[in-house]
DNA sequence: TAGATTGTTAATCGATTAACAATC
DNA sequence: TAGATTGTTAATCGATTAACAATC
């Protein structure tokens, strides 16, 4: 993999879609794919696809296209999906509990090993194979277990303080499910469920 | 509100953030805001903010800025958040159940009035104030209740067929929680939780 | 070899930013 | 009025698309 100087945000945001499509093709037994094929499947321009891949290196072969399994592996490596990550969920409401019990992410290498809340009535409650822990112990837990990702599923108004606490505890990235933009020193990815629903409402009017 | 010829995707994707910020400001009792203020709060360029607002009409006042409550209301109207929408959830797994029990969306006018599954063991189970219904009755339910939004929280491999069924039943838009890109005649908004997590993994490497 | 498809450069298009006259 | 800030036009920047030589 070529070490690229700077890859634009737009390219990065397309990588997961490439990854998912290549994974699907590989499962279907497709061994070979061209930028033209992918452009049809993903509704993108073939030039753009080739440009995107060439940000990281030349994975194709003239006159042939790309080898599905190899390209999938390369993109997985670029995204950092070839290793495991420990994560904790802060906020044991419905969404927090749903994430713990959804095993899809574990299959992809994201291991949710703790769920926290401040509400006394929730502490100790079983969630999947875990039990809700008191948020008092969050910092120690993150440090002792080498947790790299903090998932925020608290109420909106607790989002910023939770983000601060997670960042101070040594988490390297934050996955934010609240509709609140948090500011921290570590990378934050917002799921933006609200925004997505608002945009759907907008489209229903058009 | 000016009827704009065409508003770019980039502008539309920023509208929810404006809306959320203005809502927050209004709640905090702020009555007046300039594009400069907003640019700091949202980490955007002030020119861009003014350009964005002027896609829909001139809501500001020279020398003063924007009236928070008025601007908030206008953007709510643009997004279509001034009316109610009926929605159904298809897939009564953890995420589907979490959505039904999260009342945040209801507060914003999105009323989830049905939850469906094909799994016999789930049918009849209580979820919030609802009971899981058999997916056999989905089409009739959508028609009889004027459901406009279909929410897909099924397994990935059922996403496309569910989308087809929803679209045929007369739903006007689809909110897709699966990591599968679905193709239909109605607008689809993808929550893309997976993609968001992959991008976080990418950032942890940088 | 001929055909296909890449990698890459150049052209186009659109979005962001800057600038400033209009005006509250 | 003077100061502030918009609305809008023009300049810049970056991303997308087209084109084509390289080559498998």
């Amino acid at each position: 993999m070529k070490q690229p100087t700077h890859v634009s945000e737009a390219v990065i945001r397309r990588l997961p879609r490439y990854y998912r499509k290549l994974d699907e093709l590989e499962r279907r037994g497709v061994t070979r794919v061209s930028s033209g094929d992918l452009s049809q499947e993903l509704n993108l321009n073939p030039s753009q696809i080739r440009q995107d891949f060439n940000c990281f290196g030349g994975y194709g072969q003239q006159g042939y296209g790309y080898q599905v399994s190899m390209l999938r592996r390369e993109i997985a490596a670029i995204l950092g999906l070839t290793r495991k990550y420990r994560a904790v969920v802060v906020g044991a409401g419905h969404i927090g509990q749903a994430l713990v019990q959804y095993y899809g992410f574990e299959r992809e290498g994201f291991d949710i090993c703790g769920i926290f809340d401040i509400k006394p009535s929730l502490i100790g409650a079983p969630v999947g194979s875990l039990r809700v822990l008191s948020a008092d112990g969050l910092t120690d837990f993150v440090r002792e277990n080498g947790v790299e990702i903090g998932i925020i599923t608290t109420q909106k108004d607790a989002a910023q303080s939770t983000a601060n606490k997670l960042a101070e505890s040594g988490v390297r990235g934050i996955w934010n499910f609240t509709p609140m933009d948090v500011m921290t020193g570590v990378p934050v990815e917002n799921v933006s469920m609200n925004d997505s629903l608002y945009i759907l409402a907008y489209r229903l009017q058009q």
Side-chain angles (χ1 to χ4, degrees), chain A:
Chain A
M1 190 205 320
K2 190 202 296 179
Q3 251 329 73
T5 336
H6 177 75
V7 181
S8 84
E9 188 66 18
V11 174
I12 295 165
R13 300 237 147 242
R14 281 191 293 270
L15 292 178
R17 282 191 76 208
Y18 294 138
Y19 174 71
R20 284 191 287 108
K21 181 52 76 179
L22 290 163
D23 196 60
E24 184 196 321
L25 291 173
E26 190 173 18
R27 276 170 210 279
R28 290 214 314 251
V30 179
T31 55
R32 171 197 154 179
V33 74
S34 72
S35 60
D37 299 339
L38 281 173
S39 78
Q40 290 204 296
E41 296 259 18
L42 295 168
N43 232 38
L44 297 171
N45 181 294
S47 283
Q48 183 172 55
I49 293 174
R50 295 201 298 280
Q51 291 266 34
D52 285 356
F53 293 166
N54 281 102
C55 289
F56 303 96
Y59 303 130
Q61 206 173 324
Q62 274 111 329
Y64 175 88
Y66 300 87
Q67 242 183 277
V68 172
S69 64
M70 187 268 232
L71 188 57
R72 198 211 108 258
R73 252 198 332 272
E74 291 288 355
I75 294 180
I78 292 164
L79 286 170
L81 302 180
T82 48
R83 47 171 296 237
K84 295 215 172 294
Y85 296 88
R86 290 231 182 89
V88 290
V89 166
V90 185
H94 297 298
I95 295 176
Q97 295 200 19
L99 289 176
V100 169
Q101 288 170 92
Y102 174 65
Y103 291 104
F105 298 128
E106 193 173 335
R107 241 183 284 122
E108 313 242 27
F110 298 92
D111 170 28
I112 300 176
C113 58
I115 178 166
F116 295 83
D117 209 297
I118 46 162
K119 217 170 152 198
S121 64
L122 278 171
I123 294 165
V127 178
S129 60
L130 303 176
R131 273 176 193 280
V132 178
L133 299 172
S134 164
D136 294 339
L138 179 61
T139 297
D140 287 344
F141 188 95
V142 167
R143 294 211 175 117
E144 284 160 19
N145 293 279
V147 172
E148 294 179 280
I149 295 174
I151 307 175
I152 305 181
T153 55
T154 61
Q155 307 273 99
K156 172 164 74 172
D157 45 323
Q160 183 61 59
S161 60
T162 302
N164 295 342
K165 205 170 163 190
L166 283 165
E168 282 162 24
S169 305
V171 137
R172 293 179 53 231
I174 286 174
W175 200 22
N176 177 29
F177 278 75
T178 76
M180 183 77 194
D181 298 323
V182 298
M183 309 278 196
T184 63
V186 302
V188 177
E189 261 296 311
N190 298 305
V191 175
S192 306
M193 281 169 43
N194 278 262
D195 293 8
S196 159
L197 183 57
Y198 297 164
I199 289 166
L200 185 60
Y202 174 84
R203 300 218 190 283
L204 293 194
Q205 291 190 298
Q206 302 317 95

